[in-house]
Amino acid sequence: MDAAAPPDPVKVRVTVFNQVYNLATTGNPTDVEECALRVDALMRTIARGANLDAGRVAVLAAMHLADQLRQAEQAQGRLDSVARRLDEVLGES
């Protein structure tokens, strides 16, 4: 086997918002299961008390997750700036 070859995909079966999905991952199957649980919980929270179809719930969940990612990327950018500045200051010492 070639050392540079990616690992064979592992099949993972998850349920999100009452729908079963058979997914494949070359990563850790537990990570996929945890992501599915988080998405399922988010979709159920959004749907609670609202009369929305699954497609709309999915779009709202995607928007929420995209916003969380955007905020995390902005925070990472600020941390990177601070780290660069610290490197500059420490390099001047």
Side-chain angles (χ1 to χ4, degrees):
M1 177 177 213
D2 182 6
D8 290 334
V10 176
K11 293 181 181 173
V12 183
R13 185 179 180 129
V14 297
T15 302
V16 176
F17 210 57
N18 299 323
Q19 293 290 316
V20 175
Y21 297 92
N22 293 303
L23 306 173
T25 182
T26 56
N28 185 344
T30 302
D31 291 342
V32 174
E33 292 166 349
E34 288 176 11
C35 286
L37 287 172
R38 290 183 69 182
V39 171
D40 182 67
L42 177 59
M43 289 180 71
R44 289 180 186 286
T45 298
I46 291 168
R48 190 176 306 136
N51 188 20
L52 299 173
D53 63 70
R56 288 183 185 269
V57 173
V59 168
L60 292 172
M63 291 296 296
H64 177 79
L65 294 171
D67 183 52
Q68 285 185 323
L69 175 60
R70 182 188 56 80
Q71 289 178 35
E73 289 171 340
Q74 288 175 340
Q76 183 64 52
R78 289 189 296 274
L79 289 172
D80 289 346
S81 293
V82 169
R84 279 191 302 275
R85 182 64 186 135
L86 282 172
D87 283 346
E88 290 170 6
V89 168
L90 292 173
E92 293 172 0
S93 300

